[in-house]
Structure formats: structure tokens, C-alpha cells
Amino acid sequence: MANKLRSAVELLQTTVSELTLSEANWRSFLSTASMNYKYSFANQVLIYAQRPEATAGASIDFWNKRYKRWVKKNSKGIALLDDSGADLKLRYVFDVTDTHCYHDETFKLWQVREEHQESVIKSFADNFGEISHLDFKQNIEQIAENLTVANEADYLAELLEAKENSNLETLDEIKIQEALHQTLKNSVEFMLLNRAGMADEIYKNSVKFPYLTYFNTLDTVTILGTAVSEIAQI
């Protein structure tokens, strides 16, 4: 187990170091993370590294008891970090594609249909601030902005402490705040729209992250990724 744990940690660190090398890498990660939004940033990275196409990961116990689905023979679990106890250890989850049901193979992922959009936006507005647009995508963009403004201060403080040896060192504090804000806002918007099933390839390729490569150390990428993961868990 020690070797497997060490391998998982090394995989995590290696993958984190590659996430911000390009916008394509970051978009690819966000696509996976948006479908596995309930997990921590570290475990989103591990899911991305092992099964980037995963859309719904859960333990065997969860699949058996909640959905009456069983993991297929010879399926390989996705190794995640478990820090709930005194010592760090591994736990394993399986994607829905690893499971089957004897009576009904249908498993529908959560999605926002057109008839649900109005109630979804109303709920978001009640919880996350005023929304003034009529178009659903514009509403999501405003929500991402509201969430970023409301939550970025703590992450900025961490980033300023961790900027040493990163490209952020070349920026002043105001520019670092701008870099964090813009990257957070666009990332959260991307995740929300992708999770809602409304991020087609044209949209995905149009989203830009001009400050992404300034986050180029393990610490700065981890702070950025954690911020995105936690803000997008709505």
C-alpha cells in the first residue's frame, strides 16, 4: 500500500505541474473536474490523470446501495487520496461506465434542460447575487463573476505568500489579483456550463486564460485549482 500511495502522490504532483502548461491542458482538466465537482482539487486531478472521461465516480458501496448497480468484473478502480483519518491513505472509486444493473442499464447524468433553466437561474440569483441577463449562458457568466468576487480574497492572500519562484513574481499585487480573478471567473464559468451540458466545443475553444502560465509552480497551481474547485461546488 505504501508504494501505491507514493505512486498516487507522484502522479498527482506530476499532473498538477502540467495543468497550466497550456490552455488546452487546463480546459481538458476543467472538463473532467466539472463532472466530478464534489471531489477535492487533488482528487479531481487524480481522476483526470487516470480516467479523464469519467463522469460519475463513486465507491462500490455507494453504487450498490444508492443505485443498485454493481461494478463489472475486472474493472480498475480510480485511486484517490483519503485524508479523513490520522494517516493519508488510498480509496478507490469507479465510474458509472464500470457498473451495470441487472434490470435497468439506464443511468442519467444530471443536466439542465431548457424547461429547467428559469428555475435554476432563480435559485442561483437567490443564493449568489443579482442577475440581469435573460440568456442562460450570460446568466451563468454573471454567477461566475459574483462567486469569484465573493470568494477570491482568501485565495489571493495565499497566492501572494506562495508566489516565490513562480511567474507571478514578475507582477505587482494589483496585476496578480487581476490574474487570479480572470482565471477563476473563466474557469468557474467553464465548469458550470460544462456540468449543465451547455459547453460545446466551439464554446470550450473560445474561453481564454491569458494569465494561466503565470501559475507555474506546484503551490500556485494548487491554490488556483483549489479555488476553482471550491467555488464551483455550488
Short mmCIF file of all heavy atoms in Angstrom, two decimals, residues 119-154:
data_model
loop_
_atom_site.label_atom_id
_atom_site.label_comp_id
_atom_site.label_asym_id
_atom_site.label_seq_id
_atom_site.Cartn_x
_atom_site.Cartn_y
_atom_site.Cartn_z
N SER A 119 -35.98 28.13 -13.45
CA SER A 119 -35.95 27.84 -12.02
C SER A 119 -34.52 27.73 -11.50
O SER A 119 -34.22 28.13 -10.37
CB SER A 119 -36.72 26.55 -11.72
OG SER A 119 -36.15 25.44 -12.39
N VAL A 120 -33.62 27.22 -12.34
CA VAL A 120 -32.21 27.12 -11.94
C VAL A 120 -31.63 28.50 -11.74
O VAL A 120 -30.97 28.78 -10.73
CB VAL A 120 -31.40 26.33 -12.99
CG1 VAL A 120 -29.90 26.47 -12.73
CG2 VAL A 120 -31.79 24.86 -12.98
N ILE A 121 -31.87 29.39 -12.68
CA ILE A 121 -31.33 30.75 -12.59
C ILE A 121 -31.94 31.50 -11.40
O ILE A 121 -31.24 32.23 -10.69
CB ILE A 121 -31.58 31.52 -13.89
CG1 ILE A 121 -30.72 30.92 -15.01
CG2 ILE A 121 -31.27 33.00 -13.73
CD1 ILE A 121 -29.23 30.96 -14.73
N LYS A 122 -33.22 31.29 -11.15
CA LYS A 122 -33.85 31.94 -9.99
C LYS A 122 -33.19 31.48 -8.70
O LYS A 122 -32.91 32.28 -7.80
CB LYS A 122 -35.34 31.64 -9.95
CG LYS A 122 -36.07 32.35 -8.80
CD LYS A 122 -37.55 32.03 -8.78
CE LYS A 122 -38.27 32.82 -7.68
NZ LYS A 122 -37.67 32.61 -6.34
N SER A 123 -32.93 30.17 -8.60
CA SER A 123 -32.28 29.64 -7.41
C SER A 123 -30.88 30.22 -7.25
O SER A 123 -30.47 30.62 -6.15
CB SER A 123 -32.21 28.11 -7.50
OG SER A 123 -31.50 27.57 -6.42
N PHE A 124 -30.15 30.30 -8.36
CA PHE A 124 -28.81 30.88 -8.32
C PHE A 124 -28.86 32.34 -7.88
O PHE A 124 -28.05 32.79 -7.07
CB PHE A 124 -28.16 30.79 -9.70
CG PHE A 124 -27.57 29.43 -10.00
CD1 PHE A 124 -27.15 29.14 -11.29
CD2 PHE A 124 -27.46 28.45 -9.03
CE1 PHE A 124 -26.60 27.89 -11.59
CE2 PHE A 124 -26.93 27.21 -9.31
CZ PHE A 124 -26.49 26.93 -10.61
N ALA A 125 -29.80 33.09 -8.45
CA ALA A 125 -29.91 34.51 -8.11
C ALA A 125 -30.24 34.71 -6.64
O ALA A 125 -29.72 35.62 -5.99
CB ALA A 125 -30.97 35.17 -8.99
N ASP A 126 -31.09 33.85 -6.11
CA ASP A 126 -31.46 33.95 -4.68
C ASP A 126 -30.26 33.70 -3.78
O ASP A 126 -30.17 34.26 -2.68
CB ASP A 126 -32.56 32.93 -4.36
CG ASP A 126 -33.90 33.30 -4.99
OD1 ASP A 126 -34.07 34.48 -5.38
OD2 ASP A 126 -34.76 32.42 -5.08
N ASN A 127 -29.35 32.88 -4.24
CA ASN A 127 -28.22 32.48 -3.40
C ASN A 127 -26.91 33.20 -3.70
O ASN A 127 -26.08 33.36 -2.81
CB ASN A 127 -27.98 30.97 -3.54
CG ASN A 127 -29.06 30.15 -2.87
OD1 ASN A 127 -29.06 29.99 -1.65
ND2 ASN A 127 -30.00 29.63 -3.65
N PHE A 128 -26.75 33.66 -4.94
CA PHE A 128 -25.43 34.16 -5.33
C PHE A 128 -25.44 35.55 -5.94
O PHE A 128 -24.46 35.96 -6.54
CB PHE A 128 -24.78 33.17 -6.32
CG PHE A 128 -24.72 31.76 -5.80
CD1 PHE A 128 -25.41 30.75 -6.43
CD2 PHE A 128 -24.00 31.47 -4.65
CE1 PHE A 128 -25.37 29.46 -5.95
CE2 PHE A 128 -23.95 30.18 -4.17
CZ PHE A 128 -24.63 29.16 -4.81
N GLY A 129 -26.51 36.29 -5.78
CA GLY A 129 -26.48 37.68 -6.21
C GLY A 129 -27.32 37.97 -7.44
O GLY A 129 -27.77 37.08 -8.15
N GLU A 130 -27.53 39.24 -7.68
CA GLU A 130 -28.39 39.71 -8.75
C GLU A 130 -27.90 39.29 -10.12
O GLU A 130 -26.71 39.30 -10.41
CB GLU A 130 -28.48 41.24 -8.70
CG GLU A 130 -29.42 41.83 -9.74
CD GLU A 130 -29.49 43.34 -9.64
OE1 GLU A 130 -28.95 43.91 -8.67
OE2 GLU A 130 -30.09 43.94 -10.54
N ILE A 131 -28.84 38.88 -10.97
CA ILE A 131 -28.55 38.50 -12.35
C ILE A 131 -29.45 39.32 -13.25
O ILE A 131 -30.67 39.37 -13.05
CB ILE A 131 -28.80 36.99 -12.56
CG1 ILE A 131 -27.89 36.17 -11.63
CG2 ILE A 131 -28.55 36.61 -14.02
CD1 ILE A 131 -28.21 34.70 -11.63
N SER A 132 -28.89 39.95 -14.25
CA SER A 132 -29.68 40.89 -15.05
C SER A 132 -29.91 40.44 -16.49
O SER A 132 -30.63 41.10 -17.24
CB SER A 132 -28.97 42.26 -15.08
OG SER A 132 -27.65 42.13 -15.58
N HIS A 133 -29.34 39.32 -16.90
CA HIS A 133 -29.45 38.90 -18.30
C HIS A 133 -30.57 37.86 -18.47
O HIS A 133 -30.97 37.18 -17.53
CB HIS A 133 -28.13 38.32 -18.79
CG HIS A 133 -26.98 39.27 -18.68
ND1 HIS A 133 -26.87 40.39 -19.46
CD2 HIS A 133 -25.90 39.27 -17.87
CE1 HIS A 133 -25.77 41.04 -19.14
NE2 HIS A 133 -25.17 40.39 -18.17
N LEU A 134 -31.03 37.74 -19.70
CA LEU A 134 -32.08 36.77 -19.99
C LEU A 134 -31.50 35.47 -20.55
O LEU A 134 -32.06 34.41 -20.36
CB LEU A 134 -33.07 37.36 -21.02
CG LEU A 134 -33.85 38.59 -20.54
CD1 LEU A 134 -34.74 39.13 -21.66
CD2 LEU A 134 -34.70 38.26 -19.33
N ASP A 135 -30.40 35.55 -21.25
CA ASP A 135 -29.77 34.39 -21.84
C ASP A 135 -29.12 33.52 -20.76
O ASP A 135 -28.43 34.02 -19.87
CB ASP A 135 -28.71 34.83 -22.84
CG ASP A 135 -28.00 33.66 -23.48
OD1 ASP A 135 -28.55 33.04 -24.39
OD2 ASP A 135 -26.87 33.36 -23.02
N PHE A 136 -29.33 32.19 -20.82
CA PHE A 136 -28.85 31.30 -19.77
C PHE A 136 -27.34 31.37 -19.62
O PHE A 136 -26.81 31.43 -18.52
CB PHE A 136 -29.29 29.86 -20.07
CG PHE A 136 -28.96 28.89 -18.97
CD1 PHE A 136 -29.76 28.79 -17.84
CD2 PHE A 136 -27.83 28.09 -19.05
CE1 PHE A 136 -29.45 27.91 -16.82
CE2 PHE A 136 -27.52 27.20 -18.03
CZ PHE A 136 -28.33 27.11 -16.92
N LYS A 137 -26.63 31.33 -20.73
CA LYS A 137 -25.17 31.37 -20.67
C LYS A 137 -24.68 32.69 -20.08
O LYS A 137 -23.70 32.71 -19.32
CB LYS A 137 -24.58 31.13 -22.05
CG LYS A 137 -24.69 29.69 -22.52
CD LYS A 137 -23.92 29.46 -23.81
CE LYS A 137 -23.96 27.99 -24.22
NZ LYS A 137 -23.21 27.73 -25.47
N GLN A 138 -25.34 33.79 -20.41
CA GLN A 138 -24.96 35.08 -19.83
C GLN A 138 -25.22 35.10 -18.33
O GLN A 138 -24.47 35.68 -17.55
CB GLN A 138 -25.71 36.21 -20.51
CG GLN A 138 -25.27 36.49 -21.94
CD GLN A 138 -26.06 37.61 -22.58
OE1 GLN A 138 -27.28 37.70 -22.43
NE2 GLN A 138 -25.37 38.48 -23.30
N ASN A 139 -26.30 34.44 -17.93
CA ASN A 139 -26.60 34.34 -16.51
C ASN A 139 -25.51 33.57 -15.77
O ASN A 139 -25.08 33.96 -14.67
CB ASN A 139 -27.95 33.64 -16.30
CG ASN A 139 -29.12 34.54 -16.63
OD1 ASN A 139 -29.05 35.75 -16.46
ND2 ASN A 139 -30.20 33.95 -17.10
N ILE A 140 -25.07 32.47 -16.36
CA ILE A 140 -24.01 31.68 -15.75
C ILE A 140 -22.72 32.50 -15.66
O ILE A 140 -21.99 32.44 -14.67
CB ILE A 140 -23.76 30.38 -16.55
CG1 ILE A 140 -24.98 29.45 -16.43
CG2 ILE A 140 -22.51 29.67 -16.04
CD1 ILE A 140 -25.27 28.97 -15.03
N GLU A 141 -22.46 33.28 -16.69
CA GLU A 141 -21.28 34.15 -16.68
C GLU A 141 -21.35 35.14 -15.52
O GLU A 141 -20.36 35.38 -14.82
CB GLU A 141 -21.18 34.91 -18.00
CG GLU A 141 -19.97 35.81 -18.09
CD GLU A 141 -19.87 36.52 -19.43
OE1 GLU A 141 -20.71 36.25 -20.32
OE2 GLU A 141 -18.94 37.34 -19.60
N GLN A 142 -22.54 35.71 -15.28
CA GLN A 142 -22.70 36.66 -14.18
C GLN A 142 -22.55 35.95 -12.83
O GLN A 142 -21.97 36.49 -11.88
CB GLN A 142 -24.07 37.34 -14.27
CG GLN A 142 -24.30 38.41 -13.20
CD GLN A 142 -23.29 39.53 -13.31
OE1 GLN A 142 -23.19 40.18 -14.34
NE2 GLN A 142 -22.55 39.78 -12.24
N ILE A 143 -23.09 34.74 -12.73
CA ILE A 143 -22.96 33.97 -11.49
C ILE A 143 -21.48 33.68 -11.20
O ILE A 143 -21.03 33.80 -10.06
CB ILE A 143 -23.76 32.65 -11.59
CG1 ILE A 143 -25.26 32.95 -11.56
CG2 ILE A 143 -23.39 31.70 -10.45
CD1 ILE A 143 -26.12 31.79 -11.99
N ALA A 144 -20.75 33.29 -12.23
CA ALA A 144 -19.32 33.02 -12.06
C ALA A 144 -18.60 34.28 -11.58
O ALA A 144 -17.71 34.20 -10.72
CB ALA A 144 -18.71 32.53 -13.37
N GLU A 145 -18.97 35.42 -12.11
CA GLU A 145 -18.37 36.69 -11.67
C GLU A 145 -18.71 36.97 -10.21
O GLU A 145 -17.84 37.32 -9.41
CB GLU A 145 -18.89 37.83 -12.56
CG GLU A 145 -18.48 39.23 -12.12
CD GLU A 145 -17.00 39.52 -12.33
OE1 GLU A 145 -16.35 38.81 -13.12
OE2 GLU A 145 -16.50 40.46 -11.69
N ASN A 146 -19.99 36.80 -9.85
CA ASN A 146 -20.41 37.04 -8.47
C ASN A 146 -19.69 36.13 -7.49
O ASN A 146 -19.23 36.57 -6.42
CB ASN A 146 -21.93 36.83 -8.34
CG ASN A 146 -22.74 37.85 -9.11
OD1 ASN A 146 -22.21 38.86 -9.57
ND2 ASN A 146 -24.03 37.61 -9.24
N LEU A 147 -19.58 34.86 -7.84
CA LEU A 147 -18.93 33.89 -6.97
C LEU A 147 -17.45 34.21 -6.80
O LEU A 147 -16.89 34.09 -5.71
CB LEU A 147 -19.10 32.48 -7.54
CG LEU A 147 -20.48 31.85 -7.41
CD1 LEU A 147 -20.57 30.59 -8.25
CD2 LEU A 147 -20.81 31.54 -5.95
N THR A 148 -16.82 34.61 -7.90
CA THR A 148 -15.40 34.94 -7.85
C THR A 148 -15.15 36.15 -6.96
O THR A 148 -14.26 36.13 -6.09
CB THR A 148 -14.87 35.20 -9.27
OG1 THR A 148 -15.03 34.01 -10.05
CG2 THR A 148 -13.39 35.58 -9.24
N VAL A 149 -15.92 37.19 -7.14
CA VAL A 149 -15.77 38.40 -6.33
C VAL A 149 -15.97 38.10 -4.85
O VAL A 149 -15.24 38.60 -3.99
CB VAL A 149 -16.77 39.50 -6.79
CG1 VAL A 149 -16.80 40.66 -5.80
CG2 VAL A 149 -16.40 40.00 -8.18
N ALA A 150 -16.93 37.24 -4.55
CA ALA A 150 -17.27 36.94 -3.16
C ALA A 150 -16.23 36.07 -2.46
O ALA A 150 -16.15 36.07 -1.23
CB ALA A 150 -18.64 36.27 -3.09
N ASN A 151 -15.44 35.33 -3.24
CA ASN A 151 -14.58 34.32 -2.61
C ASN A 151 -13.08 34.46 -2.87
O ASN A 151 -12.29 33.72 -2.29
CB ASN A 151 -15.02 32.93 -3.10
CG ASN A 151 -16.39 32.53 -2.59
OD1 ASN A 151 -16.53 32.12 -1.44
ND2 ASN A 151 -17.40 32.66 -3.44
N GLU A 152 -12.66 35.37 -3.72
CA GLU A 152 -11.27 35.37 -4.16
C GLU A 152 -10.28 35.93 -3.15
O GLU A 152 -9.07 35.62 -3.24
CB GLU A 152 -11.14 36.14 -5.48
CG GLU A 152 -11.45 37.61 -5.36
CD GLU A 152 -11.45 38.31 -6.72
OE1 GLU A 152 -10.99 37.71 -7.72
OE2 GLU A 152 -11.92 39.45 -6.79
N ALA A 153 -10.72 36.70 -2.19
CA ALA A 153 -9.79 37.39 -1.29
C ALA A 153 -8.88 36.44 -0.53
O ALA A 153 -7.66 36.65 -0.46
CB ALA A 153 -10.57 38.27 -0.31
N ASP A 154 -9.43 35.38 0.03
CA ASP A 154 -8.62 34.45 0.81
C ASP A 154 -7.59 33.74 -0.06
O ASP A 154 -6.44 33.53 0.35
CB ASP A 154 -9.50 33.40 1.50
CG ASP A 154 -10.31 34.02 2.64
OD1 ASP A 154 -9.95 35.11 3.11
OD2 ASP A 154 -11.31 33.40 3.05
#
